[in-house]
Amino acid sequence: MTFQDARGAERMQDAILRHLGYTIGKDASHATLHDWRLALSYAVRDRIVDSWFASTRAAYEAGAKRVYYLSMEFLIGRLLGDALVNLRADAEAKAAIEGLGLSFDAVLHDEPDAALGNGGLGRLAACFLESLSTLACPAMGYGIRYEHGLFRQSFEQGRQVEDPETWLQQRHAWEFERPETLYRIGFGGHVTEGDDGRMVWTPSEAVLAEAYDTPVVGWQAGWTNTLRLWGARAVDPLDLHRFNHGDYVGAAAPEMLARSISRVLYPDDTTEAGKELRLKQEYFFTAASLHDILRRFDSEHSDITALPDKVAIQLNDTHPAIAGPELLRLLHDERGLPFEQALDIARRVLNYTNHTLLPEALEKWPVDLMSRLLPRHMMLIERIDADHAAAYPARETHAVSDGHVNMGALSFIMANRVNGVSALHTGLMKQTVFEDLHALHPNRIVNQTNGVTPRRWLHACNPRLSSIITGAIGEGWVGDLDQLAGFEAHLGDAGLLDAVAAAKRANKVALSNWVSETHGVSLDPDAMFDVQIKRIHEYKRQHLNILEAVALWQAIRANPEAGWTPRVKIFGGKAAPGYVFAKKIIHLINDVAAVLNADPVTSPFLKVVFLPNYNVTLAERLIPASDLSEQISTAGKEASGTGNMKFALNGALTVGTLDGANVEIRDHVGPENFFLFGMTAEEVMARRAIPDHAAQAIAADPRLAAALDAIHDGAFSTGEPDRFHDITGNLRGPDYFLVCSDFTDYWRAQREVDAAYRDTADWTRRAALNTARSGWFSSDRTIRGYMADIWGASPVARPG
């Protein structure tokens, strides 16, 4: 350690001890691991705050255009390690903590994951915020401060069990409560016309939105932006009259009902009460955010017509789609702008990111629910729809039709720009879900292929590989991932490839040890680690993966001496509580795993493990240790994916379809370094039109038929032979997601994977090429595209 490093560690240690005493209220002899972690977090946060204040001042002085990113999810994960990396203070923090006699890894791992998201949508939002800070673009993320997040997943006899996340039961060191920033958010009530002709909405109930701010620091702490999350609380937290008369539960009801809005991410909406809560959540955070955006604008500017020049709002999916009518209401009803002018301003401010081609995922709310919960907004939506119809009489798409409000259409109509998230997805948007609207507004749809932040998803989560790259090409790639291309020139060095292989094996050993310690499953680190970690959904086709595992198990049992490539199939992901079929897929995977892992004939060659409660921290363990990335969705259904990018960046080869960003990954890493199978999106549509496509596929492939029969006949459900009949019945027809039709080609591709993996040196070279050629998939590149093509925003000169 240099003298400078030693001084840095000494200063860090002083800050830790100061916070331990004066912030936590503990002395070193009585401090727990939790106390030490909080003390370190506060010491690190102090440094971020300096950058945060300087960035805010610089943005105000520059009069810069601000970007506001509205998202139901921000899957930020643990923040301590991420902050240390971006501050470039991880070495001194490690020295400081170890100098106090503690394990640095234990302190880092004590931090819970912030339960603020579910999957790719939320993780993308988190990557974007970090890149916005890295690029010095003044921005703020807005979302909900969920007390319990989605849910904590566990398994009981193979079945998914959902329990509330408890991450906020302990102090969250990274946030600043802003009790002075409160907005009253109304629901229900009635609408009347005032004396001045303006419409006046009088809600029948209201809650308060309270702000909590988390600073988001960019690479090298050059700029820091804000994630502002809203917590719901009652206007009157206690009915004292009812309390004094002994009705203690009823007295607290207003607070309980208010807090329900910010308790759980995606409450089950299969009930009417669930639908109402979901819509309340979406309006709650969107309305609070728009009030806050306008307040911030007013603090700098006096002319509301300048709003499009100074503000860009991005709607991450349809969850904040109510922003269109709400902004219109604020401008027209409350500020008195003429309707047409208010509509024009709103449309020039708002932008919409579409994340799905699944019609059922483009939210639709019953008109009666919208009218009852948000009566003024329903009136505005109908007028927006009518005005659009008058301007475009030939249009076929309506924001209101069949008794529902189509939030995808509403988002499109109210947007300045609508973007897809991969080249394929954007093209399909124009041909499918928004074909009619695209014809009317041919310049509105643009593409911005997703990306991931290299700071977290390579530099921090895979330090072994990161250090090899830095040793070869320097550290500049961390802030400019395009420089990763220079790594390819070093791949002719056998010693470097040996180091890459050793790093991968060390990551696999670390994962194997953790799985053994925490889940009691022994894994061979020399086997291929074949990983599928995603939200559980039929279109993502986890059931195709496990069906192939059953067929492989049968083939190994039939001929165990055939020279099989050892493989460990690892699954992770959650099914929505109300998604019965997806939960049945989880049950099937776990039941198949129990049989396969106990089979003495096949277990040396094939194991299956489903790791519960998939989150950012688990992804950070799995991705650096993965050999094979499963990206097997039905072509035309995955908008982009970002897991596929993280795997490729960390040197995993992909087996996948031409879906989402897989197309662009294959183009960049080279077809020879990607295991392609399955139908194209066009072939999928043609195949689906054949009435008995599943029966034809089963009849043509005895392996597929035998695997289905084993599942159907109860080979993995002793005592309950019909347990998985709904899965086998679905696959035998209608099989909408074409699992059976793609099975044979998937089997072929997997046997190519087996053969390739046996050539260890060539596999390592191909894996390293995936890393070297993945520089384009940086979220920095994506955000530069948004800034130029959608927001019209520019970076601000960095403070200091």
Side-chain angles (χ1 to χ4, degrees), residues 11 13-24 43 46:
R11 286 193 298 270
Q13 195 172 95
D14 289 345
I16 292 168
L17 291 170
R18 183 177 67 253
H19 276 293
L20 184 70
Y22 294 103
T23 307
I24 312 300
D46 287 349

Side-chain angles (χ1 to χ4, degrees), residues 109-226:
H109 290 147
D110 181 68
E111 182 179 12
D113 269 48
L116 298 172
N118 174 29
L121 183 83
R123 187 52 233 173
L124 181 76
C127 283
F128 279 6
L129 285 188
E130 194 268 358
S131 283
L132 282 161
S133 293
T134 292
L135 297 175
C137 178
M140 180 175 279
Y142 283 108
I144 297 179
R145 183 180 180 264
Y146 301 104
E147 292 183 51
H148 301 296
L150 186 66
F151 57 84
R152 177 173 291 278
Q153 180 194 56
S154 60
F155 302 132
E156 287 184 6
Q157 297 181 324
R159 294 177 173 86
Q160 173 177 288
V161 176
E162 300 111 20
D163 292 301
E165 284 279 6
T166 57
W167 73 289
L168 278 178
Q169 284 188 354
Q170 53 185 279
R171 196 182 316 184
H172 184 43
W174 300 101
E175 70 181 7
F176 292 85
E177 186 175 0
R178 305 298 193 198
E180 74 281 4
T181 304
L182 284 174
Y183 298 104
R184 188 183 180 102
I185 308 301
F187 304 102
H190 60 276
V191 180
T192 56
E193 185 173 347
D195 294 337
D196 58 358
R198 293 192 202 180
M199 304 305 292
V200 178
W201 174 34
T202 306
S204 57
E205 62 174 298
V207 299
L208 295 176
E210 181 179 8
Y212 295 80
D213 288 352
T214 299
V216 180
V217 63
W219 174 237
Q220 297 180 327
W223 190 273
T224 299
N225 283 314
T226 305

